[in-house]
């Protein structure tokens, strides 16, 4: 029986985020000593991520996260989602990146990294908006960033694949799991009080370890049969869930 570990991931940080909700989530994580991966949209153009007017203090807040040991992730460039073909991770039908010409992907990565660096934030992790990215995105990341870690993929453990270390992301709410590394992706902008309370209860229950990105990445194994099988089973599970959801 192996150990169970969790990473917490917070998506959609940008100047127009819901500051009060983010602060509430931050308080819970800090009180439990958990440092999440936080995905920052460098130049947001998605109205869904703009529930509030722009906060001139946002970049100070983000540098504060970095000082706390949080892991800064590049979460796309403008979060402009459109319907796209299936990318490397078979979740959903939307993407900012999948299917764009490589030169355009490269330009978006370059500009996104430039914006974050201009605020003294050098991203070390990639989080694709809506899980949408392809081989061209990986090539653009190689050319235009120092990112070596991808927060995505369906597996039970971290793995090395296509020249990157993948920290799989399988959960969208706190849930106790069996052995493995589980990333729980949260969207603070959309969290209600009961969601924040559920996070607090989960962390208080001491469900397992909370490694840093570096610790998790150091345990990555070569991509192999187990990753393929788990991915196929999980994709089927997600498809069934989507069908059930559609019937409601
Ligand atoms: Zn997002």
């Amino acid at each position: 029986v192996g150990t169970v570990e969790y990473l917490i991931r917070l998506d959609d940080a940008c100047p127009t985020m819901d500051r009060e909700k983010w602060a509430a989530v931050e308080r819970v994580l800090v009180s439990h000593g958990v440092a999440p991966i936080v995905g920052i949209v460098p130049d947001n153009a998605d109205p869904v991520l703009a529930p509030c007017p722009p906060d001139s203090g946002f970049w100070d807040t983000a540098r504060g996260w970095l000082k706390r040991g949080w892991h800064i992730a590049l979460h796309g460039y403008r979060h402009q989602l459109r319907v796209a073909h299936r990318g490397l991770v078979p979740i959903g039908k939307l993407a900012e990146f999948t299917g764009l010409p490589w030169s355009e992907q490269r330009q978006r990565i370059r500009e996104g990294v430039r914006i974050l660096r201009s605020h003294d934030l050098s991203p070390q992790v990639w989080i694709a908006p809506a899980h949408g990215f392809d081989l061209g995105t990986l090539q653009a990341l190689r050319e235009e960033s120092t990112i070596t870690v991808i927060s995505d993929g369906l597996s039970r453990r971290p793995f090395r694949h296509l020249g990157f270390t993948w920290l799989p992301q399988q959960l969208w709410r706190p849930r106790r799991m069996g052995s493995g590394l589980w990333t729980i992706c949260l969207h603070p902008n959309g969290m209600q009080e009961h969601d924040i309370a559920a996070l607090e209860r989960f962390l208080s229950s001491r469900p397992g370890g909370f490694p840093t990105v570096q610790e998790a990445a150091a345990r990555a194994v070569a991509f192999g049969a187990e990753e393929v099988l788990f991915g196929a089973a999980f994709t089927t599970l997600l498809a069934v869930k989507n069908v059930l959801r559609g019937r409601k």
Side-chain angles (χ1 to χ4, degrees):
V1 180
T3 56
V4 54
E5 296 186 312
Y6 299 90
L7 293 170
I8 303 290
R9 180 179 119 180
L10 308 180
D11 280 18
D12 301 336
C14 62
T16 51
M17 69 189 191
D18 188 323
R19 264 191 289 169
E20 286 181 19
K21 285 184 180 169
W22 276 81
V25 172
E26 179 171 350
R27 278 194 295 275
V28 171
L29 293 174
V30 168
S31 73
H32 290 278
V34 172
I37 300 170
V38 56
I40 301 178
V41 184
D43 186 21
N44 180 57
D46 183 346
V48 174
L49 310 192
C52 298
D55 168 20
S56 59
F58 170 76
W59 296 104
D60 272 334
T61 301
R63 281 187 291 271
W65 294 334
L66 182 64
K67 285 199 195 96
R68 286 192 186 281
W70 290 23
H71 307 283
I72 304 298
L74 182 68
H75 187 35
Y77 171 46
R78 289 192 156 154
H79 212 280
Q80 288 165 311
L81 303 181
R82 64 192 209 299
V83 175
H85 291 295
R86 178 184 271 204
L88 289 169
V89 177
I91 299 176
K93 294 183 172 65
L94 300 175
E96 178 183 6
F97 280 80
T98 313
L100 289 182
W102 176 68
S103 58
E104 184 165 349
Q105 299 211 36
R106 190 175 167 175
Q107 196 226 321
R108 283 175 182 249
I109 299 285
R110 181 194 304 142
E111 188 58 15
V113 169
R114 188 195 65 73
I115 290 170
L116 293 196
R117 282 190 186 149
S118 76
H119 297 290
D120 297 323
L121 298 163
S122 184
Q124 299 307 315
V125 178
W126 166 250
I127 298 176
H131 306 273
F133 62 114
D134 57 20
L135 291 173
T137 320
L138 296 185
Q139 186 60 25
L141 287 168
R142 267 183 220 107
E143 302 268 344
E144 301 292 345
S145 81
T146 55
I147 288 171
T148 56
V149 174
I150 290 167
S151 169
D152 217 330
L154 299 170
S155 174
R156 211 163 47 85
R157 53 188 185 176
F159 57 92
R160 293 186 301 274
H161 189 41
L162 302 170
F164 289 84
T165 300
W166 299 58
L167 304 179
Q169 194 264 298
Q170 319 93 332
L171 302 173
W172 286 266
R173 61 186 56 188
R175 183 175 165 192
R176 290 189 83 119
M177 302 295 285
S179 69
L181 175 77
W182 307 95
T183 301
I184 302 165
C185 174
L186 302 174
H187 295 81
N189 287 327
M191 287 173 78
Q192 306 301 319
E193 260 174 52
H194 65 262
D195 299 316
I196 295 170
L199 176 64
E200 164 72 38
R201 276 197 307 278
F202 177 74
L203 296 177
S204 297
S205 75
R206 298 176 177 275
F210 287 86
T212 65
V213 161
Q214 291 79 8
E215 287 165 344
R219 295 200 256 298
V221 299
F223 185 80
E226 185 180 322
E227 280 60 52
V228 175
L229 289 172
F230 184 95
F234 212 86
T235 305
T236 305
L237 184 71
L238 287 175
V240 169
K241 276 188 172 172
N242 285 336
V243 168
L244 293 177
R245 208 177 291 147
R247 279 182 188 156
K248 273 181 196 164

